[in-house]
Amino acid sequence: MIVSPSFLSCDFANLQSEIEMLNNSDAQWMHCDIMDGLFVPNITFGQPVLKWIRKHAKKTLDVHLMIVQPERYLQSFKDAGADILTVQYEACTHLHRTIHEIKNLGMKAGVAINPHTSVNLLEDVIADLDMVLVMSVNPGFGGQSFIEHSYEKIRKLRALANERNPKLIIQVDGGVTLENAPKLIEAGATALVAGNTVFNSENPSATIKKLADL
Ligand code: DX5
Ligand code: ZN
């Protein structure tokens, strides 16, 4: 299982030691939530901070853009060190073009869908994608409760991917816990984002191990 702990819930005053903890953990990826205060109500961090994360991180940087018109910033996130770049379906007018630009820049391309966005809308782009991220909360904040309808969406997406893109990574983001993770995997998830569950646990690297061993 690919585990991608989200920095959103980490101690930003000790970012370097949080990165070291992740470097020494079973996490394969590190999830970086970029919020612009427009697509979502919250604002997090941008390319300058990502560059510092890149300097210390020894793992794949999984960058989730929750920003309007993400096509403006593809090159700059590549330059800042993103390995995987995920854009929100709802934020892209020319999604097909954006996906191909991400790939042409040498990154893996992901598309995230909000809780209200149907999996069916991905039918015409799924073959071009490396990853689909199913948002299992409304984006904007860490520590929210998991939306139960997400299981059905993951199952639908798994069936569509089996038909058109069997290698597709299905990532789930929002309210992932040690309790719901086995059910998410059973539904078809292959990558789990966890913010609150990891960083607010007593032993974050032990929690990561438990998720990775599922
Ligand atoms: C939510 C972000 C998530 C967030 C998840 O808008 O996209 O990546 O960090 O946090 P938890 O795991 O605490 O729900
Ligand atoms: Zn995220």
Side-chain angles (χ1 to χ4, degrees), residues 97-208:
R97 179 189 292 150
T98 301
I99 292 165
H100 286 279
E101 282 178 7
I102 293 172
K103 291 172 118 178
N104 289 340
L105 286 167
M107 297 177 284
K108 296 224 182 297
V111 169
I113 52 171
N114 272 344
H116 72 273
T117 302
S118 168
V119 162
N120 298 331
L121 293 167
L122 297 174
E123 236 179 308
D124 294 319
V125 287
I126 196 165
D128 299 321
L129 290 172
D130 296 295
M131 180 167 91
V132 171
L133 185 168
V134 175
M135 280 306 308
S136 41
V137 297
N138 284 296
F141 306 94
Q144 303 182 81
S145 331
F146 181 84
I147 297 172
E148 294 289 317
H149 177 62
S150 312
Y151 293 116
E152 197 180 313
K153 291 179 76 171
I154 298 161
R155 277 194 289 270
K156 245 193 203 174
L157 183 59
R158 184 77 272 163
L160 187 63
N162 287 349
E163 231 176 72
R164 304 195 180 197
N165 183 357
K167 286 193 186 148
L168 183 82
I169 297 169
I170 298 181
Q171 186 176 52
V172 183
D173 184 7
V176 172
T177 63
L178 286 167
E179 287 69 45
N180 62 22
K183 284 201 275 175
L184 293 169
I185 295 166
E186 196 186 292
T190 49
L192 300 175
V193 175
N196 185 53
T197 291
V198 166
F199 287 100
N200 291 322
S201 69
E202 235 166 71
N203 185 340
S205 63
T207 304
I208 292 168

Side-chain angles (χ1 to χ4, degrees), residues 6 31 33 64 66 133 135 173 193:
S6 164
H31 190 81
D33 286 303
H64 178 193
M66 284 158 279
L133 185 168
M135 280 306 308
D173 184 7
V193 175

Side-chain angles (χ1 to χ4, degrees), residues 11 14-22:
D11 176 356
N14 289 301
L15 187 53
Q16 193 177 344
S17 68
E18 300 283 45
I19 297 168
E20 289 306 332
M21 182 278 288
L22 296 178

Side-chain angles (χ1 to χ4, degrees), residues 49-128:
V49 174
L50 192 65
K51 268 188 197 159
W52 283 102
I53 294 176
R54 177 74 287 166
K55 188 169 156 30
H56 297 285
K58 297 201 176 94
K59 303 197 173 173
T60 297
L61 291 186
D62 162 35
V63 178
H64 178 193
L65 299 183
M66 284 158 279
I67 65 174
V68 298
Q69 298 174 351
E71 62 279 359
R72 293 170 297 160
Y73 293 113
L74 308 180
Q75 177 76 58
S76 71
F77 278 103
K78 167 70 184 172
D79 296 342
D83 298 299
I84 304 169
L85 201 59
T86 297
V87 293
Q88 287 279 154
Y89 176 89
E90 304 81 8
C92 296
T93 309
H94 297 287
L95 183 62
H96 181 270
R97 179 189 292 150
T98 301
I99 292 165
H100 286 279
E101 282 178 7
I102 293 172
K103 291 172 118 178
N104 289 340
L105 286 167
M107 297 177 284
K108 296 224 182 297
V111 169
I113 52 171
N114 272 344
H116 72 273
T117 302
S118 168
V119 162
N120 298 331
L121 293 167
L122 297 174
E123 236 179 308
D124 294 319
V125 287
I126 196 165
D128 299 321

